[in-house]
Amino acid sequence: MKYSAPSRISDNRSSATVQRVNQLDEKVMDNRPTIVKQRKLQEAANNKSTAYMFSPVQLKKSHTLSSGTGMVMQRWAVKEIADQKESLDDNEGNNLYGFSINVKSGEKNANTALHHIISRDSMKKLNKALNLAQSSKTMDVKNSASKFWKTTQSATNKEIRQQAKTSIALLENLPLNLSYGPKEPLDDPGTGFDPDTRPAANGGRELTPVSEQLAIINEIIESNSISELGKSSELWERLNGAMNAAIKLYASGDKEKISKINPSLREQWEIKEGENEDRYYRKGIKNFLNESIGEKRLKGSSIPADELELIGERAPRDEQSDKLSIYAYAETVNLSHFLERHTYEYFTLKDKDIKLINTFWEEGTTLDNIKEYARLALAYSKKHVKDLHRVTIDLNDEMPEFVGIKNVIIQGIPKPVYLMFGIEEVDDNIFEVDLRTLAPDGKVDAYTAEILKKVQASRLELQEK
């Protein structure tokens, strides 16, 4: 599809609009966990099957579990998982991350949460594809998907399987896909991949062995549509291989361990002390650089305004459609932001652009490169929204107003990316996607705010001389 800016669309924006985008961006780059609108899951259907090898074709609807313990509980968690978290809180959570006190009841609650490595949204997509594949008339597809499902169920115990009752609930409660850590971290990944990491032999950082295998599963989910997943035996064989490997690495020969949540990997969490509260963020696998490197690489050039224009296509406001139509675009104010925040050539060193953690595309990345990455990101976002729409219809759910995804691998972009885009339902079956954030992610150059403030002070000192 050719992306071009329609002549009838003006990219002139009021100061209020720019301010709104900047405010949204502050939330994104601080990675507040409120970016993505929480969508209410529908209650379970009256399905009474608790069989060990239940079929996801028969069990499609999500369910939630209300806690009878009085504890603050993540709604997706079955009782077995909730009990394990409570035990971890009692044994180590308060010592590692502190606790908060309920003003009304006086009860103590650990400042902890269970984080999904492969996100719940990705699991919903996988579940939909699994339903489709197991309903396939092509036996190779059906058998491969069933093999993957049998392997996946073996990554739990009887209690989790019986309490889950549905395929999506079981996928959301896999212990090997849960990472125990602080609640509301600064780098909450939204609907993106959120791996565990560890120190590497070369002094950097790397994914843990289990997260390496989960990364393979996540890439297959995110790189293929529901339809593509639903008709490919080869993809299900790859998914099964990675799940098998993850199970073996997680259990380490101990059958009981596969159904237990690991204690926190405290080493992978950094703390940012605040006036009112301390916030944590993952170290990840970013390549943190020092002041002298930043001083050499940061150019601070001005963006040639005549080389930027709206990319993509806005949705028509006077049309109706009987079928799903998705339009996607990136406005010049956001394209400028992508350049000023994440390229060595155009980074401004202004206070507004210096965040807690600042990631950069490779040195030498040009304006034309960023425009091409934006076009590829728009194509990805349209595909993502199409699948999201399909899943939300099945769950009788609502489309989110904003989506934030970390560690997205998009063919043609040299590094994983962090995307954030708004979704507007213009009319029935017509959606418009507004690309707000396009940042390099994963193993990329990064600087802390402290380092960039030093470079900023050095530049100001030179200017005053």
Side-chain angles (χ1 to χ4, degrees):
M1 178 177 182
K2 182 179 179 181
Y3 290 98
S4 59
S7 58
R8 65 181 179 82
I9 297 296
S10 170
D11 195 29
N12 296 326
R13 311 182 82 184
S14 67
S15 59
T17 303
V18 174
Q19 183 180 19
R20 177 176 62 82
V21 171
N22 287 340
Q23 288 170 343
L24 281 168
D25 183 62
E26 288 292 332
K27 291 183 180 180
V28 173
M29 296 318 296
D30 284 344
N31 294 305
R32 303 294 182 187
T34 56
I35 293 173
V36 182
K37 178 182 177 183
Q38 294 298 314
R39 302 193 301 278
K40 184 178 180 180
L41 295 175
Q42 110 183 77
E43 295 296 325
N46 294 324
N47 191 318
K48 298 180 180 179
S49 172
T50 56
Y52 172 26
M53 292 300 175
F54 56 79
S55 167
V57 175
Q58 298 170 330
L59 304 166
K60 295 182 180 180
K61 295 182 182 287
S62 301
H63 91 295
T64 58
L65 183 75
S66 59
S67 171
T69 64
M71 64 182 287
V72 176
M73 183 174 161
Q74 290 166 288
R75 294 179 69 244
W76 52 265
V78 298
K79 185 177 184 301
E80 170 70 14
I81 294 298
D83 287 347
Q84 288 189 37
K85 179 186 179 297
E86 188 174 18
S87 178
L88 287 169
D89 287 342
D90 291 340
N91 292 333
E92 63 171 68
N94 290 340
N95 294 328
L96 290 176
Y97 306 109
F99 58 84
S100 58
I101 298 177
N102 187 305
V103 177
K104 292 184 178 179
S105 67
E107 291 182 348
K108 290 184 178 180
N109 293 312
N111 286 334
T112 59
L114 297 175
H115 303 281
H116 287 84
I117 296 174
I118 299 174
S119 75
R120 292 175 63 209
D121 276 10
S122 294
M123 286 301 193
K124 289 175 186 176
K125 178 180 176 181
L126 179 63
N127 183 64
K128 176 65 179 175
L130 186 59
N131 293 335
L132 189 63
Q134 286 209 316
S135 300
S136 175
K137 295 180 181 179
T138 304
M139 291 308 298
D140 284 350
V141 174
K142 187 173 184 176
N143 291 338
S144 296
S146 296
K147 184 165 63 173
F148 166 80
W149 182 236
K150 184 175 180 179
T151 298
T152 301
Q153 289 187 95
S154 73
T156 63
N157 60 14
K158 181 179 178 180
E159 287 73 24
I160 294 173
R161 291 190 292 273
Q162 289 183 339
Q163 292 166 15
K165 298 182 181 178
T166 68
S167 54
I168 182 56
L170 187 135
L171 287 170
E172 291 178 332
N173 282 273
L174 297 175
L176 60 76
N177 189 49
L178 298 174
S179 179
Y180 177 73
K183 69 178 182 181
E184 298 184 357
L186 283 168
D187 60 345
D188 187 277
T191 60
F193 188 62
D194 193 21
D196 285 331
T197 65
R198 65 183 185 181
N202 62 2
R205 298 189 65 78
E206 63 186 6
L207 301 184
T208 63
V210 172
S211 283
E212 281 187 344
Q213 297 303 315
L214 295 179
I216 295 171
I217 295 173
N218 186 75
E219 183 177 355
I220 294 171
I221 296 171
E222 294 305 320
S223 299
N224 297 278
S225 68
I226 291 172
S227 297
E228 289 166 340
L229 287 166
K231 62 186 180 184
S232 172
S233 59
E234 188 267 336
L235 290 176
W236 289 107
E237 291 294 338
R238 288 172 57 196
L239 286 165
N240 186 60
M243 181 61 76
N244 253 321
I247 290 170
K248 291 177 182 178
L249 289 165
Y250 191 85
S252 301
D254 183 351
K255 291 184 178 180
E256 295 297 321
K257 188 179 177 184
I258 192 62
S259 60
K260 302 298 181 185
I261 304 167
N262 273 337
S264 180
L265 298 175
R266 177 64 182 85
E267 178 277 335
Q268 70 175 329
W269 294 96
E270 289 279 12
I271 187 169
K272 174 177 168 46
E273 296 181 357
E275 292 183 8
N276 299 318
E277 63 175 339
D278 296 338
R279 300 289 297 277
Y280 291 85
Y281 62 92
R282 287 187 189 266
K283 293 178 182 177
I285 55 174
K286 296 177 178 65
N287 180 27
F288 284 95
L289 301 176
N290 59 33
E291 179 185 355
S292 63
I293 295 177
E295 184 68 59
K296 293 175 183 177
R297 294 184 180 180
L298 292 165
K299 303 291 192 301
S301 302
S302 297
I303 299 172
D306 59 346
E307 293 191 28
L308 287 183
E309 62 180 0
L310 183 143
I311 294 177
E313 187 178 7
R314 299 292 303 266
R317 283 340 195 234
D318 54 356
E319 294 183 14
Q320 293 182 335
S321 177
D322 294 330
K323 62 180 182 179
L324 182 64
S325 298
I326 302 170
Y327 299 82
Y329 68 98
E331 296 191 279
T332 58
V333 66
N334 290 327
L335 291 170
S336 295
H337 167 80
F338 305 159
L339 292 160
E340 291 174 342
R341 278 283 294 116
H342 300 291
T343 65
Y344 282 115
E345 185 67 35
Y346 299 107
F347 189 80
T348 68
L349 278 174
K350 294 178 180 178
D351 288 341
K352 70 178 181 65
D353 289 327
I354 297 178
K355 308 301 179 183
L356 179 67
I357 298 175
N358 306 269
T359 58
F360 286 81
W361 297 104
E362 292 178 347
E363 193 174 16
T365 298
T366 66
L367 184 150
D368 286 338
N369 291 145
I370 296 301
K371 289 196 291 186
E372 179 60 21
Y373 300 165
R375 291 187 183 95
L376 294 169
L378 290 175
Y380 173 88
S381 68
K382 291 175 67 175
K383 183 177 177 181
H384 183 89
V385 171
K386 181 180 179 180
D387 280 340
L388 189 59
H389 182 261
R390 189 170 180 176
V391 170
T392 53
I393 286 178
D394 281 356
L395 294 177
N396 192 27
D397 212 342
E398 296 179 0
M399 289 285 280
E401 294 177 355
F402 299 99
V403 171
I405 322 174
K406 289 178 70 68
N407 293 301
V408 179
I409 297 174
I410 300 176
Q411 188 173 2
I413 301 180
K415 296 287 184 181
V417 293
Y418 177 29
L419 297 180
M420 197 277 277
F421 47 85
I423 303 174
E424 179 184 354
E425 187 170 2
V426 177
D427 206 331
D428 290 345
N429 297 318
I430 300 177
F431 291 88
E432 188 174 69
V433 179
D434 176 11
L435 185 62
R436 305 285 181 83
T437 294
L438 174 62
D441 206 357
K443 202 171 189 65
V444 296
D445 289 357
Y447 299 83
T448 63
E450 180 184 8
I451 293 297
L452 291 183
K453 286 287 187 180
K454 289 180 179 180
V455 177
Q456 179 193 60
S458 176
R459 296 280 174 89
L460 289 173
E461 186 178 340
L462 285 173
Q463 290 174 10
E464 291 172 357
K465 288 182 178 180

